[in-house]
Amino acid sequence: MAARNLIPFEAALMARADQVEARLRALLDDRPLSGEIARPRRLLAAMRHGVLNGGKRLRPFLVLESAALLAPDHDEAPALTVAAALECVHCYSLIHDDLPAMDDDDLRRGQPTVHKAFDEATAILAGDGLLTLAFDTLADEALGLPADRRASLVLALARAAGSGGMVGGQMLDIEAETSAPDEAGIIRLQAMKTGALIRFACEAGAVLTGASASDRERLAEFGSAIGLAFQLADDLLDLTADAGTMGKATGKDAAAGKATLVALHGEAWARRQLSGLVEQAHALLEPYGEQAALLKAAAHFVAIRSN
Amino acid sequence: MAARNLIPFEAALMARADQVEARLRALLDDRPLSGEIARPRRLLAAMRHGVLNGGKRLRPFLVLESAALLAPDHDEAPALTVAAALECVHCYSLIHDDLPAMDDDDLRRGQPTVHKAFDEATAILAGDGLLTLAFDTLADEALGLPADRRASLVLALARAAGSGGMVGGQMLDIEAETSAPDEAGIIRLQAMKTGALIRFACEAGAVLTGASASDRERLAEFGSAIGLAFQLADDLLDLTADAGTMGKATGKDAAAGKATLVALHGEAWARRQLSGLVEQAHALLEPYGEQAALLKAAAHFVAIRSN
């Protein structure tokens, strides 16, 4: 779409996506990580295929804008690198999620998934490599942050992404296909599967700028609220959008009889919930006044997005 | 085998394995990692299946004995946790390596592999969860080490395990099935696939005790030498041992026409090489005198092991 038709938020999101893309390209270029041992070319190509795919880079945006909110004058280089590392984790999860043994998806953003463009073994390894690269990047002195912040970022990301977070949520999601969870079960599943990484994105902005514990908690809560909104919007989209708009298969939840809050309570309820979550997210940012305008717009965007 | 028949090294290895097993059980128990969100039961069960399998725990042994060599009076709790975290990474790599899309192995130490005992999706997620848990564990303040050492451990492990290390080596190993590498290619493949993690094991003992850069480098070099020996011994075993002794399929390399240094240069050459590597490893430990006896024995054990 042409830049002149964009609302200011979408323009800001795209500008951030360009910055993040550049950082991701640098992380995935042909240079050895250390010493002289180059990374295998085919593996790097698969990692790039899974990452450099024109994603919206919403999670990186949240890292960058949370950091900018709490420390307006900070050097943005570390934030950009943290944002890129987080995106590596998000993309690894999509690569593994798309595998035949998992969701078995052939398309992602209208392009062949990594195991389709390469092969299954390469896709598994590309995911493993991206996850590991994220922690490499956060722990490295080259990030330009003190060691305690680097260790905090590694820990928070591992908690968000691991068996008590995203990976655990994926497990619950698979189990939900054969044994429908109740409402509390769905909420737990979604908080882990998609919520944890979005929460981390906002929290990371606080950690990397050395913000106070209360700012960190507030941003994390904001992230939780929009994480919930994100998932609700996703479930609504699966119900109402077509594959062309989404660049991936839709209607899969209903076809699989998958339990979602939308299936449980209906579309009207879900839209009311979404409004409530956006209000809650906005309220959390009140103390920051006008500075928080972009993050508030992000909450709105997450709730009303059409793909 | 009965304890009275063990040479002292094997008894020491088994004693260390018991300590590590206890630490691994604690990392994989039912308690939430943080907050109140429990890890999904099936996922934890699969992670335990892949880890608590009676492994020799050679890499943890190297962490513990390297640390003991450089700081005889150090508190062993952090070293044990680092050792357990490393074993999680080793076991994750085996779980993914055993998958149908990779080596397609049904047995590991005489037991069904994780995707056989559970299913493929669960095995993929269990591996992802273990890798993430390792970084969680190393970055956590609860490890009892200063933040700079925790960050250094995360970085060194990520470098050893990632696309420029173990994961990259697995990629090269897959490519070697269709396009035989030359000698330099085999050496690079093996240094990455198995060497990097063994090198890290020895290096980690130096990092966690805050040893000097020269001690760290010396231990890392020792690790590289025994990593090479380990792989040579493995290739020899694949040629000569039977499945019962190994607890897994053997003769696979030859059947797959896989290029190994043993296939290239023959058994006699390989045994001479092994002796040379053990000598080299021993020489690296000369400065530490009698204190290094166990690590020297480890080098010998790695070269002559029968399973």
Side-chain angles (χ1 to χ4, degrees):
Chain A
M1 65 188 115
R4 63 180 175 282
N5 293 332
L6 296 176
I7 60 167
F9 171 76
E10 281 172 294
L13 182 61
M14 284 178 69
R16 286 306 204 182
D18 286 345
Q19 291 181 292
V20 171
E21 200 85 4
R23 199 69 202 82
L24 286 167
R25 277 184 196 284
L27 286 179
L28 297 168
D29 71 12
D30 288 318
R31 277 171 302 179
L33 288 173
S34 60
E36 288 176 6
I37 294 187
R39 292 174 282 180
R41 214 169 293 168
R42 182 176 170 83
L43 181 60
L44 263 179
M47 290 164 74
R48 283 193 203 111
H49 185 92
V51 171
L52 305 173
N53 56 10
K56 286 188 298 293
R57 315 303 185 193
L58 175 66
R59 291 160 194 78
F61 177 90
L62 294 171
V63 174
L64 292 163
E65 293 304 334
S66 296
L69 174 68
L70 297 174
D73 300 324
H74 75 124
D75 167 19
E76 281 216 323
L80 259 174
T81 306
V82 173
L86 170 55
E87 191 69 4
C88 287
V89 172
H90 174 55
C91 293
Y92 120 78
S93 78
L94 299 179
I95 295 171
H96 281 190
D97 219 30
D98 286 337
L99 285 166
M102 307 269 289
D103 279 359
D104 194 14
D105 275 314
D106 293 353
L107 285 178
R108 167 75 58 188
R109 299 190 201 285
Q111 297 294 318
T113 46
V114 176
H115 68 273
K116 279 290 171 184
F118 293 81
D119 57 67
E120 276 185 59
T122 303
I124 293 166
L125 293 174
D128 294 345
L130 285 169
L131 175 60
T132 312
L133 178 61
F135 293 116
D136 179 318
T137 305
L138 294 182
D140 195 344
E141 215 172 328
L143 179 59
L145 294 177
D148 59 336
R149 290 191 206 170
R150 284 181 275 133
S152 291
L153 286 165
V154 169
L155 180 62
L157 179 57
R159 290 277 155 92
S163 46
M166 184 180 69
V167 166
Q170 287 172 311
M171 183 79 243
L172 296 177
D173 200 34
I174 290 168
E175 293 186 298
E177 284 168 23
T178 49
S179 164
D182 58 12
E183 179 157 9
I186 297 171
I187 291 171
R188 176 182 172 224
L189 184 169
Q190 295 186 340
M192 292 169 81
K193 189 182 178 203
T194 52
L197 224 53
I198 293 176
R199 179 182 166 101
F200 168 80
C202 300
E203 194 177 3
V207 176
L208 78 93
T209 53
S212 68
S214 73
D215 277 335
R216 177 176 174 168
E217 183 55 27
R218 185 170 284 276
L219 267 293
E221 287 301 312
F222 170 76
S224 287
I226 66 174
L228 279 171
F230 184 91
Q231 188 58 54
L232 264 180
D234 210 58
D235 292 342
L236 276 169
L237 278 169
D238 186 81
L239 203 69
T240 58
D242 62 89
T245 313
M246 294 288 281
K248 64 178 182 182
T250 55
K252 288 184 69 168
D253 295 352
K258 197 175 260 190
T260 69
L261 294 179
V262 178
L264 212 60
H265 294 296
E267 212 179 310
W269 174 91
R271 296 198 189 281
R272 281 196 308 276
Q273 277 294 107
L274 270 178
S275 300
L277 285 165
V278 172
E279 272 175 44
Q280 186 189 324
H282 284 188
L284 281 160
L285 299 184
E286 274 318 314
Y288 309 109
E290 267 312 297
Q291 302 293 333
L294 262 179
L295 280 180
K296 285 186 178 174
H300 188 66
F301 170 80
V302 160
I304 55 103
R305 74 207 168 89
S306 61
N307 63 53
Chain B
M1 65 190 112
R4 63 181 176 281
N5 292 332
L6 296 174
I7 59 167
F9 171 75
E10 282 173 292
L13 182 61
M14 283 176 69
R16 286 306 202 180
D18 286 345
Q19 293 181 290
V20 171
E21 199 86 3
R23 198 70 202 83
L24 286 167
R25 279 185 196 283
L27 286 180
L28 296 169
D29 71 12
D30 288 318
R31 277 171 303 179
L33 287 173
S34 60
E36 289 177 4
I37 295 186
R39 291 175 281 179
R41 213 168 295 165
R42 181 175 171 83
L43 182 61
L44 264 179
M47 290 163 76
R48 284 193 202 110
H49 185 92
V51 171
L52 304 173
N53 56 9
K56 286 188 297 293
R57 315 302 186 193
L58 175 66
R59 291 159 194 77
F61 178 90
L62 294 171
V63 174
L64 291 163
E65 293 305 333
S66 296
L69 174 69
L70 297 174
D73 299 324
H74 75 123
D75 166 21
E76 280 214 325
L80 260 174
T81 307
V82 172
L86 170 56
E87 190 69 5
C88 286
V89 172
H90 175 55
C91 293
Y92 121 78
S93 79
L94 299 179
I95 294 172
H96 281 190
D97 219 30
D98 286 338
L99 285 167
M102 307 267 290
D103 280 359
D104 195 13
D105 274 314
D106 293 352
L107 284 178
R108 166 77 56 190
R109 298 189 202 287
Q111 297 295 317
T113 46
V114 176
H115 67 274
K116 280 289 172 187
F118 294 81
D119 55 68
E120 276 184 59
T122 303
I124 293 168
L125 294 174
D128 295 344
L130 284 168
L131 175 60
T132 312
L133 178 61
F135 294 116
D136 179 318
T137 305
L138 294 182
D140 195 345
E141 216 172 325
L143 179 60
L145 294 177
D148 60 334
R149 290 192 207 168
R150 284 181 275 136
S152 291
L153 287 164
V154 169
L155 180 62
L157 179 57
R159 290 278 156 92
S163 46
M166 184 181 68
V167 166
Q170 286 172 311
M171 183 79 243
L172 296 176
D173 200 34
I174 290 169
E175 294 187 298
E177 285 169 21
T178 50
S179 165
D182 58 13
E183 177 156 13
I186 298 171
I187 291 171
R188 175 182 173 223
L189 184 170
Q190 295 186 341
M192 292 170 81
K193 190 182 178 200
T194 52
L197 225 52
I198 292 175
R199 179 183 166 100
F200 169 80
C202 300
E203 195 178 1
V207 176
L208 77 93
T209 53
S212 70
S214 75
D215 277 334
R216 176 176 175 168
E217 182 56 27
R218 186 171 284 276
L219 267 292
E221 287 302 312
F222 170 76
S224 286
I226 65 174
L228 278 171
F230 184 92
Q231 187 59 53
L232 263 181
D234 210 58
D235 292 342
L236 276 169
L237 278 169
D238 186 82
L239 204 70
T240 56
D242 62 89
T245 312
M246 293 288 280
K248 63 178 183 181
T250 55
K252 288 185 68 168
D253 295 353
K258 199 176 257 190
T260 68
L261 294 178
V262 177
L264 213 60
H265 295 296
E267 211 178 310
W269 174 91
R271 296 198 189 282
R272 281 196 306 276
Q273 277 294 110
L274 269 179
S275 301
L277 285 166
V278 172
E279 272 175 45
Q280 185 187 326
H282 284 187
L284 281 160
L285 298 183
E286 274 319 313
Y288 308 109
E290 268 312 296
Q291 301 294 332
L294 262 179
L295 279 180
K296 284 185 179 174
H300 189 65
F301 171 79
V302 159
I304 55 103
R305 74 205 166 90
S306 61
N307 64 55

